[in-house]
């Protein structure tokens, strides 16, 4: 969020601290040597440039402002006041502890209060936060709170289900393990019928407020 000064928003990188491309490529060469290989051998010569370009894609979310994306809303909804649910929004993110992929899907819902946003904006919102270094819990909160703050709906619900490669390919090696996080605001928090209706729509039904099985 560019509008917030860095000192009040420690997660935002100070723009002045951003290295140039050749410094980034040189860091990749260091990691190749750290892995035990030779960055000057033929197969690896173009790798630093490719990795740096890939990083531009993986972390494009730092250059986009989610508030601006959501700011264009539509007030003409002909009295539509039921929940809007976008389910199974696939995303790719990177864990901020190991910088390896987090791959999963987000389900985003809100209960409109006069205004709605274009549906592609919900997917964009997920992508902007996914394309940053993340932990899943923080990403869940960021998506829900931004939607809530900008749209001011009667409620917001976000559920994220994801597999963390730092758990599946290293460390405890638990392939297939999925982490589920959720944030319920407004009517989704206070009204269990609304919450259950949402969880049923995204295929998470069960006895508890959020069925983790
Ligand atoms: Zn990790």
């Amino acid at each position: 969020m560019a509008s917030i000064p860095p000192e009040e928003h420690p997660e935002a990188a100070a723009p002045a601290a951003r290295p140039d491309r050749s410094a980034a490529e040189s860091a990749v060469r260091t990691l190749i040597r750290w892995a035990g290989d030779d960055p000057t051998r033929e197969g690896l010569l173009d790798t630093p440039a490719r990795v740096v370009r890939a990083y531009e894609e993986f972390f494009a979310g730092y250059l986009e402002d989610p508030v601006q994306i959501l700011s264009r809303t539509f007030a003409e909804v002909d009295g539509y006041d039921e929940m809007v649910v976008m389910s199974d929004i696939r995303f790719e993110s990177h864990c901020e502890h190991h910088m390896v992929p987090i791959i999963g899907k987000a389900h985003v819902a809100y209960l409109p209060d006069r205004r709605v946003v274009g549906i592609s904006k919900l997917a964009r919102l997920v992508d902007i936060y996914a394309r940053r270094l993340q932990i899943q819990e923080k990403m869940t909160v960021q998506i829900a709170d931004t939607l809530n703050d900008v749209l001011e709906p009667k409620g917001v619900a976000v559920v994220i289900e994801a597999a963390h490669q730092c758990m599946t390919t290293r460390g405890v090696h638990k392939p297939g393990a999925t982490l589920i996080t959720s944030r319920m605001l407004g009517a989704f928090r206070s009204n269990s019928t609304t919450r259950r209706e949402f969880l049923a729509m995204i295929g998470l039904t069960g006895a508890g407020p959020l069925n983790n099985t």
Side-chain angles (χ1 to χ4, degrees), residues 72-93:
R72 212 166 344 120
T73 59
F74 306 104
E76 294 295 320
V77 290
D78 280 338
Y80 185 86
D81 61 356
E82 297 294 327
M83 70 175 71
V84 175
V85 181
M86 191 165 197
S87 62
D88 298 297
I89 306 167
R90 190 195 139 92
F91 69 85
E92 288 132 33
S93 188

Side-chain angles (χ1 to χ4, degrees), residues 95 97-98 100 166:
C95 101
H97 300 139
H98 304 92
V100 295
C166 57

Side-chain angles (χ1 to χ4, degrees), residues 9-200:
H9 193 65
E11 289 144 11
R18 193 172 193 220
D20 64 17
R21 185 174 296 269
S22 72
E25 290 178 4
S26 147
V28 177
R29 279 190 286 275
T30 301
L31 287 174
I32 291 171
R33 284 201 304 276
W34 175 247
D37 214 319
D38 172 11
T40 65
R41 76 173 169 84
E42 200 187 351
L44 288 173
L45 277 181
D46 294 331
T47 298
R50 288 195 198 97
V51 170
V52 168
R53 282 200 298 275
Y55 266 45
E56 285 177 314
E57 242 178 90
F58 295 158
F59 302 112
Y62 288 109
L63 302 174
E64 291 187 278
D65 180 0
V67 172
Q68 198 187 342
I69 297 292
L70 289 176
S71 291
R72 212 166 344 120
T73 59
F74 306 104
E76 294 295 320
V77 290
D78 280 338
Y80 185 86
D81 61 356
E82 297 294 327
M83 70 175 71
V84 175
V85 181
M86 191 165 197
S87 62
D88 298 297
I89 306 167
R90 190 195 139 92
F91 69 85
E92 288 132 33
S93 188
H94 286 79
C95 101
E96 70 183 27
H97 300 139
H98 304 92
M99 298 177 74
V100 295
I102 302 171
I103 294 175
K105 53 191 179 175
H107 314 283
V108 179
Y110 65 98
L111 201 54
D113 183 14
R114 301 180 311 278
R115 295 186 298 157
V116 297
V117 283
I119 52 170
S120 67
K121 303 296 176 62
L122 298 178
R124 288 279 301 280
L125 177 65
V126 170
D127 273 341
I128 289 172
Y129 284 118
R131 289 179 186 158
R132 298 180 181 191
L133 291 168
Q134 278 293 4
I135 62 171
Q136 185 176 325
E137 294 86 341
K138 182 173 71 177
M139 181 174 152
T140 307
V141 168
Q142 286 173 330
I143 293 168
D145 288 7
T146 304
L147 191 56
N148 198 50
D149 292 349
V150 179
L151 203 55
E152 299 179 325
K154 291 173 184 158
V156 168
V158 174
V159 170
I160 295 182
E161 308 174 63
H164 293 237
Q165 286 190 10
C166 57
M167 265 191 69
T168 59
T169 66
R170 58 160 294 287
V172 292
H173 289 278
K174 291 286 172 272
T178 300
L179 184 67
I180 302 182
T181 49
S182 71
R183 183 154 174 88
M184 306 284 168
L185 299 171
F188 291 91
R189 182 183 283 256
S190 61
N191 185 328
S192 61
T193 307
T194 303
R195 186 168 61 244
R196 273 201 302 272
E197 186 187 338
F198 164 67
L199 292 173

